[in-house]
Amino acid sequence: MKYVEGLHCIKCGKKYEAEPERYLCDDCEDGILDVDYDYQKIKENWSKEELTVNPDKKIWRYEPLLPIIPEIEKPKLSVGNTPIYESEILAEEFAIKKLIIKDDGLNPTGSLKDRASAMAVVKAQEAGAKTVACSSTGNAASSLAGNIASMGGRMNAVIFVPDRAPAGKLAQLLVYGADVVSVNGSYEEAFYLSAEAIEKWGWYNRNAAINPYLVEGKKTVSLEMAEQLNWEMPDWVVYSVGDGCTIAGAYKGLYDLKKIGFIDKIPKLLGVQADGCAPITEAFRSGNELEITEENTIADSIAVGKPRNWIKAVRAVRDSGGEMINVSDEEILSMMKNLGQKTGVFGEPAGVAGLAGLKKAAEQGIITFEESAAAVITGNGLKDVKNARRAAGDPIEVKPDLQKLIEIFAELDVS
Ligand SMILES: *Cc1c(COP(=O)(O)O)cnc(C)c1O
Ligand SMILES: [Zn+2]
């Protein structure tokens, strides 16, 4: 917290002390807050060289840019340091100059959400809370449950999920020992019930959209990518968008890095939503207030009909000079298989939606053949095996008989 100056409301600008339980502006409806840093001081006291020799590979290596008190215990899971790959074959296929894939599904509980949940565990302790609660379509919840579990029984997670959450994600929550409430309703309704329960029992709130510190955790994906790319950012960085916190966090990380002089230029952000649930793309295009939509997509992690962080998300994309685009479920499923086949990276539907959008943006000339791009795969494919099977089809079936196998292989041209 050495360099945190405070919080400000993104609607009215009102300033607040950076208290761990300060979530929203008192004066504004949906008055989301943002954390302010003393960039000049960070610049004077931190350097790329210092970072290079820091042995901590987890997200905490970026401590000068995080709103944390160093003495507070961190969750033990190893969050961050996910790999990046260059894919020449996909760059060629999309007709762009260069493509970087960052596999954030390799975080300990299988999604980028670990970055925010690890932060929630730290902030909850600062607030003196032992129980942390959230509502989620799945990954926020499972990451919270996992990070809480890594504290070895000293803390507890209460999770509200809509009952459409995929079985894999639910299993994870239960295995990590969280108290799981499956709400018979939409994500929206699960959110409101969790808000009421948090109010009633005084738990710490891990709802990323309204907790300003969680976006600070998510921004480590940008800090990390920039460091891995030796501070040479591509022209575009691509994320799938649900509530809007991930892309807003990614922007914040880039903004911070530019402010402290670690990067020269903020890349353009491409935000990708699903055709069947694209309220943020709509608000981005119309310039109007957000209109609530239905949640019709297989990409459950971005099926958010009433996103909380749409203002931050729209601003992030706009300030970066970027774009928003939508993709169909078919495009998502097809990209799931394409990515897996050509790179060995297995993403869940929302995890590959960004890449599907990248392909489409390249086809539409939004991203040109002279430009480079990075896509973050935000969640692991094993989270949602049912849709993976829809994407990938069926295995070859054969009786245990070599002659039969030879015949089938001849037919299928396998050798
Ligand atoms: C949460 C999530 C997103 C989107 O993040 P938002 O902050 O909701 O916009 C994308 N992909 C996966 C796998 C997620 O879990
Ligand atoms: Zn305000």
Side-chain angles (χ1 to χ4, degrees):
M1 296 279 275
K2 236 187 339 194
Y3 303 116
V4 173
E5 288 185 324
L7 310 171
H8 77 269
C9 170
I10 64 164
K11 273 194 165 169
C12 72
K14 186 170 175 182
K15 289 189 181 334
Y16 293 92
E17 292 273 314
E19 290 156 346
E21 286 181 282
R22 163 55 66 183
Y23 303 130
L24 291 167
C25 177
D26 292 334
D27 299 346
C28 299
E29 196 188 326
D30 291 333
I32 308 271
L33 303 175
D34 210 2
V35 183
D36 297 320
Y37 294 86
D38 185 340
Y39 293 115
Q40 194 51 42
K41 261 206 203 129
I42 298 175
K43 232 174 150 167
E44 284 161 16
N45 293 299
W46 200 39
S47 67
K48 292 177 186 173
E49 292 70 32
E50 198 176 320
L51 189 58
T52 309
V53 297
N54 185 340
D56 186 357
K57 295 293 174 215
K58 301 196 270 294
I59 57 173
W60 315 114
R61 68 193 270 97
Y62 305 107
E63 189 194 298
L65 279 173
L66 296 177
I68 56 171
I69 297 169
E71 294 72 37
I72 290 183
E73 195 174 337
K74 318 283 191 308
K76 291 200 171 57
L77 287 183
S78 191
V79 176
N81 197 26
T82 58
I84 57 167
Y85 308 107
E86 184 179 345
S87 174
E88 277 144 18
I89 184 169
L90 288 179
E92 196 172 314
E93 187 180 315
F94 301 169
I96 61 172
K97 194 165 101 190
K98 184 173 174 171
L99 176 66
I100 302 291
I101 302 286
K102 183 165 176 64
D103 189 3
D104 234 44
L106 287 187
N107 271 302
T109 78
S111 81
L112 185 148
K113 296 283 194 298
D114 277 336
R115 298 177 185 274
S117 290
M119 180 63 74
V121 172
V122 171
K123 296 308 279 186
Q125 294 175 80
E126 192 187 323
K130 279 183 86 168
T131 297
V132 188
C134 85
S135 72
S136 161
T137 51
N139 287 332
S142 50
S143 67
L144 178 64
N147 278 276
I148 288 276
S150 82
M151 297 299 285
R154 271 167 299 159
M155 293 176 78
N156 181 40
V158 182
I159 312 288
F160 295 79
V161 289
D163 55 11
R164 63 142 196 265
K169 295 182 181 183
L170 206 61
Q172 245 186 324
L173 294 174
L174 296 164
V175 165
Y176 291 141
D179 293 322
V180 185
V181 185
S182 175
V183 180
N184 225 306
S186 66
Y187 173 59
E188 176 69 8
E189 288 163 316
F191 180 89
Y192 279 121
L193 185 61
S194 78
E196 285 169 347
I198 286 165
E199 173 95 26
K200 173 156 176 54
W201 283 285
W203 301 323
Y204 194 73
N205 190 337
R206 189 250 178 264
N207 282 324
I210 65 153
N211 184 324
Y213 304 108
L214 301 189
V215 167
E216 301 298 305
K218 286 191 167 184
K219 84 181 179 189
T220 59
V221 70
S222 285
L223 308 179
E224 203 174 280
M225 183 195 287
E227 190 184 5
Q228 288 170 319
L229 293 173
N230 204 18
W231 314 107
E232 303 272 339
M233 294 306 282
D235 297 302
W236 289 86
V237 182
V238 183
Y239 288 92
S240 56
V241 177
D243 243 328
C245 311
T246 301
I247 200 159
Y251 180 77
K252 182 71 181 293
L254 295 165
Y255 178 85
D256 288 353
L257 290 175
K258 171 112 192 311
K259 279 283 184 190
I260 63 168
F262 279 27
I263 60 173
D264 300 333
K265 182 176 134 253
I266 294 180
K268 291 175 272 193
L269 290 175
L270 178 70
V272 182
Q273 295 214 281
D275 279 340
C277 187
I280 296 186
T281 303
E282 196 46 47
F284 177 82
R285 288 180 181 161
S286 71
N288 298 332
E289 291 283 302
L290 183 120
E291 281 180 42
I292 301 171
T293 64
E294 289 189 8
E295 300 175 347
N296 290 328
T297 171
I298 54 155
D300 67 289
S301 301
I302 53 168
V304 187
K306 190 190 176 193
R308 312 267 142 197
N309 227 334
W310 69 275
I311 296 179
K312 254 193 205 180
V314 166
R315 236 179 246 180
V317 175
R318 199 161 280 147
D319 289 352
S320 77
E323 260 296 347
M324 294 283 307
I325 200 169
N326 300 335
V327 291
S328 67
D329 283 357
E330 291 68 37
E331 286 168 316
I332 290 172
L333 287 175
S334 148
M335 186 53 72
M336 193 191 261
K337 181 155 186 204
N338 197 10
L339 174 69
Q341 227 168 36
K342 302 208 176 115
T343 67
V345 173
F346 185 14
E348 66 167 274
V352 304
L355 191 64
L358 192 163
K359 176 171 190 261
K360 202 167 186 176
E363 279 162 12
Q364 295 182 0
I366 295 168
I367 303 179
T368 73
F369 67 95
E370 288 171 320
E371 291 183 307
S372 55
V376 177
I377 307 304
T378 48
N380 196 299
L382 290 172
K383 295 261 189 182
D384 185 356
V385 179
K386 197 169 115 244
N387 278 312
R389 282 300 304 276
R390 277 175 66 186
D394 296 315
I396 297 164
E397 286 191 33
V398 67
K399 298 233 163 54
D401 176 339
L402 181 64
Q403 199 48 47
K404 286 265 166 5
L405 187 64
I406 290 168
E407 284 164 24
I408 291 173
F409 274 15
E411 213 170 286
L412 296 174
D413 210 15
V414 177
S415 63

